[in-house]
């Protein structure tokens, strides 16, 4: 059911088609106000919801808030059993603190580190390292075949750069370690990675649905230097040496255990529908999506703040969707197609909520024609809104026609081609589930910033005036798609290119 035939048409055939004037829709768009958008964002990103981790009581409170708004505006429920909420199973791994061990011994002295400040662990289904030898193996990005002495040892790799950009390096190191029969892996984070980032990994990865075949820990560089000094090694000198080979840390033994204990829980998506007005088209659907989960509570930062409020990521996208949903509900005449408002969770755990909805849609799957997804739309330059995926389908030219018809929105609409390719930003939100299912998408985002995945991503940092214009842009774009009798179409190579971009 996930993959369907792709209808292809050159974009040039549609690029010249104007966006017809919709006076009533234009008036309704102006009803999207700064005050309403701010109220949504401040509630969703408030401390009371404790970061909306998947799953958590704060997330359930957010789901209740969204469902209550949909109900009050007269939208139709599209969740389970006639309600607005669709639930899905979440496998959560826990590492009991009493069973978590990470220390080394040298010269008869044991040195232990502090979890959530010095290191994080990933839950493991496979054994532990018990007083094992330690080998420095260089860059995780270059991890490859290892010599026989790696069997039964703890392998220490460097993990430079921004952790969110380089998570693939963990897989490189783990694969090499498994192939060599190692006992565990330790990755040394970049010198710029502070205790707050270590704390985030401790809460996010340890409690994810991922389990590893052997223990793995991320160790902050500053405390890790004690390990190398105990072995009489200079870490900086090791890093400067010619590539190749491994270096034993002689006289050092390490113990690392992070056993997984799995708990099955459930998490909510919230889904509503505005039925279309055209009898011939009301069974086709434009899906507007945004995730409302974030990362919960971690280790306190330097100011004592431990709540990852996720104001931009992604209370902003959810707030813009909510304001647009209220505007759609107040239209004197509904658009021809139906509009689905899909608020999902589990995005920070691998797009789980979006994937579940795509696999278990609550409207007829064959009627879905497009997905417009919002994620982090409330920061950065006030005149810039990235519209990613625009080069792959007829939705891109349509978005530009909408923007041209509404200069008051004041947006340039760059695509992912104008972003840093190392970020791979187009591959990192819920629209990816729709691309894999063959649905044309647009991804609205204003890109990351220094507060991304930090406790400082708080409501006061949002540019709410910009966020209000984003909501109006979303409304106009979704209204145009839902009013157009033409089905959104991939370019001849668009779906293949989109798939390649999100791998």
């Amino acid at each position: 059911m996930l993959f369907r035939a792709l209808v292809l048409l050159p974009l040039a055939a549609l690029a010249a088609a104007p966006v017809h004037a919709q006076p009533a829709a234009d008036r309704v768009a102006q009803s999207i106000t700064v005050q309403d958008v701010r109220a949504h964002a401040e509630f969703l990103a408030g401390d009371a919801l404790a970061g909306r981790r998947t799953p958590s009581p704060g997330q359930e409170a957010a789901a209740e808030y969204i469902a209550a708004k949909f109900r009050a505006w007269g939208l139709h429920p599209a969740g389970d059993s006639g309600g607005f909420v669709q639930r899905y199973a979440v496998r959560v791994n826990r590492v009991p603190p009493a069973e978590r061990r990470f220390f080394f011994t040298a010269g008869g002295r044991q040195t232990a580190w502090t979890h959530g400040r010095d290191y994080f662990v990933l839950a493991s289904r496979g054994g532990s390292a018990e007083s094992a030898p330690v080998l420095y193996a260089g860059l995780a990005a270059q991890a490859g075949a290892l010599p026989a002495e790696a069997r039964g040892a703890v392998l220490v790799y460097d993990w430079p750069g921004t952790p969110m950009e380089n998570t693939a390096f963990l897989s490189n190191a783990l694969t090499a370690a498994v192939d060599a029969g190692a006992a565990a892996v330790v990755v040394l984070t970049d010198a710029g990675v502070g205790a707050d980032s270590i704390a985030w990994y401790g809460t996010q990865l340890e409690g994810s649905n991922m389990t590893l075949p052997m223990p793995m820990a991320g160790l902050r560089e500053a405390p890790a230097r004690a390990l190398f000094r105990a072995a009489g090694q200079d870490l900086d000198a090791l890093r400067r040496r010619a590539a190749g080979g491994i270096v034993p840390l002689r006289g050092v033994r390490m113990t690392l255990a992070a056993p997984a204990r799995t708990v099955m829980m459930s998490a909510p998506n919230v889904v509503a529908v505005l039925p279309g007005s055209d009898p011939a088209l009301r069974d086709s659907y434009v899906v507007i999506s945004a995730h409302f989960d974030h990362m919960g509570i971690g280790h306190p930062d330097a100011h004592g703040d431990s709540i990852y409020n996720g104001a931009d990521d992604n209370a902003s996208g959810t707030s813009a969707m909510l304001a647009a949903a209220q505007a759609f509900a107040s239209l004197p005449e509904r658009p021809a197609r139906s509009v689905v408002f899909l608020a999902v969770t589990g995005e920070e755990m691998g797009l789980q909520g979006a994937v579940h909805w795509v696999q278990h849609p609550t409207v007829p799957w064959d009627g879905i024609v497009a997905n417009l997804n919002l994620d982090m739309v409330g920061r950065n330059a006030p005149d810039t809104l990235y519209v990613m995926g625009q080069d792959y389908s007829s939705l891109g030219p349509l978005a530009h026609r909408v923007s041209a018809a509404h200069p008051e929105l004041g947006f340039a609409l760059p695509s992912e081609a104008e972003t840093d390719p190392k970020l791979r930003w187009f591959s990192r939100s819920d629209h990816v589930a729709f691309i894999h299912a063959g649905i044309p998408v647009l991804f609205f985002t204003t890109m990351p910033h220094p507060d991304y995945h930090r406790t400082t991503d708080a409501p006061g940092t949002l540019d709410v005036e910009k966020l209000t214009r984003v909501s109006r842009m979303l409304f106009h774009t979704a209204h145009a798609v839902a009013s157009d009798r033409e089905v959104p179409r991939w370019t001849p190579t668009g779906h293949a290119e989109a798939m390649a971009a999100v791998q």
Side-chain angles (χ1 to χ4, degrees), residues 4-48:
R4 66 181 192 179
L6 308 179
V7 182
L8 307 178
L9 187 70
L11 290 187
L14 299 176
V19 172
H20 298 292
Q22 299 276 356
D26 290 350
R27 288 193 299 272
V28 166
Q30 293 305 308
S31 71
I32 298 174
T33 67
V34 168
Q35 292 76 16
D36 286 344
V37 171
R38 178 182 286 115
H40 296 318
E42 288 182 346
F43 177 82
L44 292 169
D47 283 355

Side-chain angles (χ1 to χ4, degrees), residues 281-355:
L281 295 178
R282 67 165 59 111
D283 291 330
S284 60
Y285 301 86
V286 179
V287 179
I288 299 173
S289 61
H291 77 89
F292 64 95
D293 63 302
H294 196 55
M295 298 174 333
I297 297 177
H299 192 278
D301 63 16
H303 304 286
D305 188 359
S306 61
I307 298 176
Y308 288 75
N309 300 86
D312 195 29
D313 185 14
N314 184 39
S316 67
T318 306
S319 299
M321 180 181 69
L322 284 170
Q326 184 176 13
F328 269 105
S330 68
L331 281 167
E333 181 178 351
R334 300 189 303 273
R337 302 183 193 280
S338 298
V339 181
V340 176
F341 302 96
L342 174 63
V344 298
T345 55
E347 191 271 353
E348 303 288 358
M349 297 173 66
L351 317 184
Q352 289 192 42
V355 168

Side-chain angles (χ1 to χ4, degrees), residues 53 92-102 115 119-128 201-212 214-217 256-263:
R53 182 177 173 81
V92 179
N93 293 316
R94 306 293 189 199
V95 179
E99 298 182 50
R100 182 178 57 224
R101 292 174 294 136
F102 189 27
H115 179 258
Y119 75 95
F120 65 86
V121 291
L122 281 73
S124 167
R125 64 176 182 270
S128 62
Y201 278 99
T203 57
Q204 186 70 10
L205 295 181
E206 182 179 319
S208 74
N209 67 336
M210 173 176 58
T211 53
L212 304 182
M214 65 175 60
M216 176 180 275
L256 173 57
R261 299 292 181 261
T262 300
V263 179

